[in-house]
């Protein structure tokens, strides 16, 4: 369980990120500027649309229909206005929702009272039930028939499912995170969803999504205190019981749960953390009055909870403030202390042959890849594990070993040996002994020939990987026998435009990627692949070599120096600033994890 002291700066960082998303891009060509894909709307999404405009030509009416299709309320009642009565009765809008990159309307045969059209587009993604976004890149064609009804064109035949233009989708839907619990019961894991509707519907939507459970890719990796046995007794209201404008402005939230009789104090705290952080990060303000069969789930909080009551589960928390920025320079580990650098104590600070280094989240342990100095065919790299201020010993060898990464429990470093063998170097806290245990990565290695980067999220439940230059996110699953697997890998940076070379988690929802490109060499992508946005490139000199990130700051090493990008800076004033303590030093930045 971790938390940051700079909570205010994190809120500013989130606000800056939301503003930055306005200039998002669907793909990032290597030699041209990123293209805008839409603007996120402020405030509540509209739940109704005007009736079709009289006298509208059929092709223009189709454009209006696709705009209205972004409004999902009442089984897409806004879009059904554009259908004939018979077509409305047979249209299955629940089949699937395709988010189209750009909709092209191709005219077909037409008479005075009938018209046929082919709709062609590239798929940006599929919106699955429960608001789960699945990035895609296929193309599709669908046929639509239209007819005149009382002198007005209406759609008489269309396939099952909904097609939404990407810009309309981003104007109508909002990205939210619902939170589940990691296997150790100490960290919240975000599950990104997209919701639509007004703000006073949001609390109901999010709590119901929690009860419905995690998406399938995460289901084996997390637990949920709002299981099938849990239900909601009566309506969700304001804290004082009012039923109008729930979740809008001040007034708090009151939820009465049933099915908690067998949950102990810790389980109830986890449930509270799931609910409170899910609502708080969606701007549904507290206090949060949480009841079990009409009584407070925690008798010490009869007037409700605030985020302070579950701040140890803060999903934006990190140990960066306490552990501090480090760097790898001249083969050794340095601590960056303001305007100066100091060699780290112990082996890693004294070494001169390190190729990469990773600090555990609490900063007490270090894993590093050292150059053995031995000629081929002997292994050229060795994985060293030790304490921050003490010695280290070798645990594995290979011709290549990726930059290590630490699990959330601070006792296991992960790495990939020779591009395909994923291992955990697990330390026994009772005696300090380290065991090297293979990770079942068959689902990932089947995607390509070589894994060149592996970074665990701070929750330890997701892994971001680069396989043959392509970015994937996989779930980390531990079976009852203790064997770890990387499962359900999904490509998330579709349209990146050039190979990825380095990456790291900024937050639990976003990954920062370095790519082989002179234009926009650093980009940020959401964990579900729904958004990809260029980060500023001012002051950077390509090639950019490495990235390490936190919720507050991204650090990169370019061809000259180490630079930092502060997420709290105003959007118009965000640019990479050289890290003072590393000025003039050829180094790679290192944060915990």
């Amino acid at each position: 369980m971790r938390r940051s002291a700079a909570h205010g700066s994190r809120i500013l960082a989130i606000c800056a990120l939301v503003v930055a998303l306005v200039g998002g891009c669907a793909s990032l060509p290597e030699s041209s500027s990123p293209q805008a894909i839409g603007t996120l709307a402020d405030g509540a999404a509209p739940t109704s649309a005007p009736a079709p405009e009289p006298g509208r030509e059929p092709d223009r009416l189709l454009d209006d229909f696709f705009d209205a299709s972004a409004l999902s309320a009442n089984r897409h009642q806004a879009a059904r206005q554009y259908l004939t009565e018979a077509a409305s009765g047979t249209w299955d809008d629940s089949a699937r929702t395709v988010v189209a990159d750009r909709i092209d309307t191709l005219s077909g045969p037409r008479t005075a009272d009938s018209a046929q059209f082919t709709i062609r587009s590239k798929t940006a993604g599929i919106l699955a039930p429960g608001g789960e976004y699945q990035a895609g890149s296929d193309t599709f064609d669908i046929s639509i028939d239209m007819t005149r009804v009382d002198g007005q064109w209406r759609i008489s035949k269309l396939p099952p499912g909904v097609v939404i233009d990407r810009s309309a989708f981003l104007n109508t839907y909002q990205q939210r995170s619902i939170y589940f619990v990691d296997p150790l019961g100490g960290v919240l894991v975000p599950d990104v969803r997209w919701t639509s509707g007004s703000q006073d519907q949001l609390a109901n939507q999010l709590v119901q999504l929690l009860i419905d459970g995690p998406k399938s890719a995460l289901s084996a990796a997390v637990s949920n205190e709002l299981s099938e046995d849990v239900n909601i007794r009566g309506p969700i209201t304001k804290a004082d019981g009012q039923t109008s404008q729930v979740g809008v402005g001040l007034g708090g939230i009151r939820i009465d749960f049933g099915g908690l009789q067998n949950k102990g104090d810790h389980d109830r705290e986890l449930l509270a953390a799931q609910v409170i952080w899910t609502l708080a990060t969606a701007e549904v303000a507290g206090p949060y009055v949480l009841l079990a069969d009409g009584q407070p789930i925690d008798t010490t909080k009869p007037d409700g909870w605030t985020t302070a009551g579950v701040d140890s589960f803060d999903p934006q928390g990190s140990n960066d403030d306490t552990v501090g920025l480090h760097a790898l320079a001249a083969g050794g580990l340095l601590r960056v202390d303001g305007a100066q650098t100091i060699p780290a104590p112990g082996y890693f600070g004294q070494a001169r042959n390190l190729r990469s280094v990773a600090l555990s989240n609490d900063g007490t342990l270090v894993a590093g890849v050292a150059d053995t100095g031995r000629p081929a065919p002997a292994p050229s790299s060795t994985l060293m594990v030790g304490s921050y201020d003490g010695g280290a010993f070798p645990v594995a060898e290979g011709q290549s070993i990726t930059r290590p990464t630490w699990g959330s429990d601070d006792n296991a470093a992960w790495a990939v040996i020779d591009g395909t063998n994923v291992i955990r170097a697990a330390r026994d806290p009772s005696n300090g002994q380290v065991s090297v245990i293979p990770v079942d990565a068959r689902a990932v290695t089947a995607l390509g020939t070589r894994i060149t980067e592996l970074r665990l999220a701070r929750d330890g439940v997701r892994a971001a990987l680069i396989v043959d230059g392509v970015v994937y996110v996989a779930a980390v699953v531990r079976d009852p026998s203790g064997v770890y697997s990387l499962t359900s890998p999904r490509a998330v940076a579709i349209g990146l435009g050039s190979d990825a070379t380095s990456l790291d988690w900024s937050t639990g929802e976003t990954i920062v990627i370095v790519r082989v490109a002179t234009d926009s060499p650093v980009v940020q992508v959401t964990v579900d692949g729904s958004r990809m946005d260029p980060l500023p490139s001012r002051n950077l000199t390509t090639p950019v070599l490495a990235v390490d990130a936190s919720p507050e700051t991204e650090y990169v090493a370019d061809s000259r120096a180490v630079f930092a990008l502060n997420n709290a800076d105003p959007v118009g004033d965000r640019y990479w600033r050289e890290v003072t303590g590393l000025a003039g030093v050829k180094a790679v930045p290192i944060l915990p994890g």
Side-chain angles (χ1 to χ4, degrees):
M1 293 182 285
R2 304 181 300 278
R3 56 176 173 172
S4 167
H7 184 73
S9 66
R10 288 199 308 276
I11 297 300
L12 290 174
I14 293 170
C15 294
L17 175 60
V18 170
V19 176
L21 288 177
V22 170
C25 59
S27 62
L28 292 163
E30 189 165 350
S31 59
S32 62
S33 298
Q35 302 297 307
I37 58 173
T39 303
L40 291 176
D42 293 327
T47 56
S48 62
E53 183 179 330
R56 198 76 157 158
E57 281 297 301
D59 57 339
R60 301 296 299 278
L61 191 84
L62 274 179
D63 292 340
D64 298 342
F65 166 72
F66 289 123
D67 287 341
S69 295
L71 305 173
S72 62
N74 301 319
R75 297 187 60 240
H76 291 90
Q77 184 58 42
R80 290 181 186 274
Q81 298 177 96
Y82 295 83
L83 310 184
T84 64
E85 184 176 349
S88 178
T90 59
W91 181 39
D92 180 10
D93 63 323
S94 64
R96 69 171 186 167
T97 298
V98 177
V99 181
D101 193 45
R102 188 187 66 228
I103 297 175
D104 292 326
T105 302
L106 308 178
S107 298
R110 178 173 175 177
T111 68
D113 294 316
S114 66
Q116 294 180 356
F117 294 90
T118 297
I119 306 303
R120 180 170 297 163
S121 179
K122 181 178 179 180
T123 301
I126 302 294
L127 192 65
E132 177 187 353
Y133 188 97
Q134 301 169 358
S137 60
D138 297 335
T139 58
F140 69 89
D141 289 353
I142 62 173
S143 298
I144 291 181
D145 294 350
M146 302 186 72
T147 189
R148 285 187 189 270
V149 177
D150 297 329
Q152 304 297 323
W153 287 101
R154 292 294 182 266
I155 298 169
S156 57
K157 183 180 179 181
L158 75 168
V162 178
V163 176
I164 306 175
D165 178 78
R166 189 181 182 103
S167 61
F169 170 74
L170 292 173
N171 278 324
T172 309
Y173 283 75
Q174 293 80 43
Q175 180 183 309
R176 311 291 187 189
S177 287
I178 58 177
Y179 291 96
F180 298 99
V181 183
D182 80 307
L184 300 177
V187 180
L188 294 182
V189 181
D191 186 349
V192 173
R193 306 296 181 93
W194 287 82
T195 65
S196 66
S198 59
Q199 184 71 16
D200 62 356
Q201 301 170 336
L202 188 56
N204 275 292
Q205 288 179 321
L206 296 177
V207 174
Q208 186 58 56
L209 287 173
L210 282 173
I211 292 174
D212 292 343
K215 66 181 68 172
S216 58
L218 280 177
S219 60
V222 297
S223 62
N224 183 18
E225 293 302 326
L226 284 81
S227 61
E228 295 178 354
D229 296 333
V230 175
N231 56 74
I232 300 174
R233 302 171 70 247
I236 296 177
T237 69
K238 284 184 175 291
D240 63 1
Q242 294 185 40
T243 57
S244 62
Q245 296 294 292
V246 176
V248 178
L250 302 177
I253 293 289
R254 179 184 182 274
I255 309 174
D256 190 358
F257 293 101
L260 305 188
Q261 297 90 340
N262 297 323
K263 290 189 180 294
D265 291 344
H266 181 62
D267 290 341
R268 292 185 177 213
E269 182 186 29
L270 291 176
L271 182 148
Q274 284 187 250
V275 172
I276 290 167
W277 284 113
T278 293
L279 296 176
T281 56
E283 299 180 350
V284 177
Y288 307 96
V289 179
L290 306 180
L291 308 176
D293 297 317
Q295 301 299 316
I297 66 170
D298 183 338
T299 56
T300 67
K301 298 178 175 64
D303 298 323
W305 300 61
T306 66
T307 55
V310 286
D311 62 351
S312 61
F313 297 95
D314 184 350
Q316 295 296 332
S318 73
N319 273 357
D320 298 339
D321 291 342
T322 54
V323 177
L325 176 66
H326 287 67
L328 175 63
L333 180 63
L334 303 176
R335 179 167 60 89
V336 181
D337 186 6
Q340 63 178 343
T341 57
I342 303 168
Y347 162 80
F348 292 96
Q350 297 170 2
R352 292 297 176 264
N353 65 338
L354 297 176
R355 293 174 171 172
S356 62
V357 176
L359 296 168
S360 63
N361 291 288
D362 62 5
T364 61
L365 297 177
V366 185
V369 178
D371 186 342
T372 65
R374 289 181 280 171
S380 63
S381 300
T382 182
L383 179 63
M384 306 292 295
V385 175
S387 61
Y388 179 77
D389 55 2
F393 50 89
V395 298
E397 290 186 331
Q399 292 298 347
S400 69
I401 302 178
T402 60
R403 172 174 55 153
T405 182
W406 287 88
S408 61
D409 65 352
D410 295 318
N411 281 307
W414 293 52
V416 184
I417 299 177
D418 295 333
T420 57
N421 301 319
V422 182
I423 58 116
R424 293 175 64 249
R427 174 181 175 271
D428 186 338
S430 65
N431 57 27
Q433 293 184 350
V434 175
S435 301
V436 176
I437 306 166
V439 173
D440 183 353
R442 289 174 292 178
V444 174
T445 55
L447 300 170
T449 59
R450 193 170 191 84
I451 304 170
T452 56
E453 185 87 305
L454 165 64
R455 301 296 290 166
L456 294 176
R458 292 173 183 84
D459 53 50
V461 169
R462 282 89 45 79
L465 307 102
I466 300 175
V467 183
D468 295 346
V470 180
V471 177
Y472 297 89
V473 170
V476 178
V477 177
R478 181 183 184 274
D479 71 17
S481 66
V483 175
Y484 282 80
S485 301
L486 295 174
T487 67
S488 305
R490 289 184 180 178
V492 296
I494 295 173
L496 187 61
S498 57
D499 285 355
T501 58
S502 181
L503 56 74
D504 197 26
W505 295 82
S506 175
T507 68
E509 294 93 347
T510 55
I511 300 166
V512 181
I513 302 168
V514 170
R515 67 188 189 119
V516 180
T518 56
D519 180 63
S520 301
V522 187
V523 303
Q524 182 172 264
V525 63
T526 53
V527 70
D528 62 355
S530 58
R531 296 292 310 228
M532 185 161 56
D533 300 276
L535 292 181
S537 55
R538 179 180 170 188
N539 286 347
L540 294 183
T541 302
T542 56
V544 177
L545 305 173
V547 63
D548 219 331
S550 74
E552 293 84 16
T553 310
E554 284 85 36
Y555 295 92
V556 297
D558 74 355
S559 61
R560 299 178 296 118
V562 174
F563 292 85
L565 185 69
N566 190 336
N567 291 327
D569 286 343
V571 173
D573 193 36
R574 288 189 76 203
Y575 61 91
W576 297 93
R577 295 176 169 87
E578 188 171 1
V579 176
T580 305
L582 295 172
V585 178
K586 191 72 173 177
V588 174
I590 298 169
L591 292 172

